[in-house]
């Protein structure tokens, strides 16, 4: 049962359309890449968001794709100087643990 739940949780987070649901609403995050999106390593996704009141377009590349355990998205173009986001999933106590690690740097120094 837990393995099925792990796959379900991975599938939810890996669906680019759900990024709009799980991103804080104040960022007004929007996927621009036409759907459905065939997710895999190397996939590029274009998006738009509003950061500190400024609308910005960006592009992310998925550099790792290891269902149902892990995937990584890295900003190729966008509002950050650096954006490296690793998503990891593991079975824990009959459920699924989700671990996100984000390394980022903003343009113009500290916020």
């Amino acid at each position: 049962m837990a393995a099925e739940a792990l796959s379900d949780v991975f599938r939810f987070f890996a669906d680019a359309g759900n990024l709009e649901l799980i991103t804080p609403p104040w960022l007004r995050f929007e996927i621009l890449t036409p759907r459905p999106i065939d997710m895999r390593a190397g996939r590029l996704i274009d998006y738009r968001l509003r950061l500190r009141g400024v609308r910005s377009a960006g592009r992310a590349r998925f550099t790792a794709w290891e269902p149902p355990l892990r995937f990584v998205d890295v900003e190729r173009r966008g509002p950050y100087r650096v954006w490296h986001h690793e998503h990891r999933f593991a079975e824990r106590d009959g459920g699924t643990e989700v671990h996100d690690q984000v390394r980022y740097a903003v343009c113009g120094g500290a916020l």
Side-chain angles (χ1 to χ4, degrees):
M1 181 70 164
E4 185 176 341
L6 175 67
S7 294
D8 290 343
V9 172
F10 180 90
R11 193 170 21 260
F12 176 83
F13 280 88
D15 181 338
N18 289 334
L19 289 172
E20 294 173 1
L21 296 173
I22 62 177
T23 301
W26 53 267
L27 283 172
R28 296 188 184 150
F29 184 84
E30 178 184 3
I31 296 288
L32 301 176
T33 301
R35 296 178 201 157
I37 300 171
D38 175 33
M39 298 299 288
R40 58 181 164 74
R43 167 62 63 212
L44 294 170
I45 293 183
D46 294 317
Y47 62 89
R48 181 171 40 213
L49 56 78
R50 185 177 299 269
L51 186 62
R52 297 180 60 95
V54 177
R55 186 166 285 278
S56 180
R59 173 173 280 175
R61 176 182 297 275
F62 288 79
T63 59
W65 189 257
E66 302 166 19
L69 302 176
R70 172 180 178 265
F71 66 93
V72 176
D73 57 275
V74 176
E75 184 180 86
R76 305 303 295 163
R77 180 186 76 235
Y80 299 96
R81 251 187 20 232
V82 173
W83 178 270
H84 181 275
H85 187 185
E86 181 176 11
H87 312 254
R88 287 186 283 146
F89 307 86
E91 294 178 18
R92 292 283 186 265
D93 302 322
T96 301
E97 179 179 87
V98 178
H99 178 84
D100 276 345
Q101 181 178 12
V102 179
R103 291 190 321 252
Y104 71 97
V106 295
C107 297
L111 291 176

